[in-house]
Amino acid sequence: MLICMLAVFTGGPALFLAVLSHSRRLTVQLEQRGLRAQGQVVRVNESRGKPSTVYYVFRPPEGPERSGKFDEASSDASKRTPGSAVDVLYLEEAPEQNMAVGMGFTRGLFILMLVPLVLVAGCGNLSVLHAYCTQPK
């Protein structure tokens, strides 16, 4: 039981951290090495009380049309209409890896998600170990 609980409080956060790290790494790559292209908004799915999803397409000079999407505050997304311009960053070697300029996974958001994740993992593991070490033998 001890091993299972430690695996949950270590493995779960580690897996989530790997996903967060991959997203942050991709954003950094796009910001540092990404090529800029002019895209067009295809549609906007507006949601009440949640960010709206903006769908776009762009055509890199070296390949076929690509698509992407990003979430934006409904007040900003409502200003976007189908056909309006959106600046896009993409990786030359992998244009399917793209994002609208300014919409990536920021360092601040990464840290904001990392801190509670580490706290949950640490407190969970300490609680399990404390319970194990203080149980009557």
Side-chain angles (χ1 to χ4, degrees):
M1 182 67 168
L2 171 68
I3 300 296
C4 289
M5 292 301 291
L6 290 175
V8 166
F9 282 111
T10 304
L15 183 61
F16 192 58
L17 178 60
V19 171
L20 291 177
S21 295
H22 174 73
S23 296
R24 177 65 189 142
R25 195 170 27 256
L26 180 59
T27 297
V28 169
Q29 285 179 344
L30 286 164
E31 290 173 344
Q32 291 177 350
R33 300 186 297 113
L35 301 177
R36 193 176 281 258
Q38 187 72 42
Q40 281 190 329
V41 173
V42 177
R43 74 177 191 275
V44 178
N45 285 354
E46 295 190 42
S47 303
R48 293 184 195 266
K50 296 190 301 188
S52 297
T53 304
V54 179
Y55 295 87
Y56 63 87
V57 295
F58 70 101
R59 183 178 302 279
E62 61 276 344
E65 185 174 84
R66 301 291 180 162
S67 62
K69 66 180 181 176
F70 60 91
D71 290 332
E72 188 172 49
S74 293
S75 58
D76 294 331
S78 65
K79 298 172 188 164
R80 298 188 187 268
T81 58
S84 63
V86 61
D87 289 326
V88 177
L89 292 172
Y90 69 94
L91 296 178
E92 183 176 20
E93 66 278 6
E96 66 277 2
Q97 301 295 335
N98 62 75
M99 72 175 190
V101 172
M103 295 297 165
F105 192 52
T106 64
R107 180 185 305 164
L109 184 56
F110 178 75
I111 291 170
L112 188 66
M113 295 178 82
L114 177 67
V115 170
L117 184 64
V118 170
L119 289 174
V120 166
C123 290
N125 281 313
L126 287 175
S127 296
V128 169
L129 290 173
H130 181 263
Y132 178 76
C133 291
T134 58
Q135 70 182 357
K137 303 207 180 209

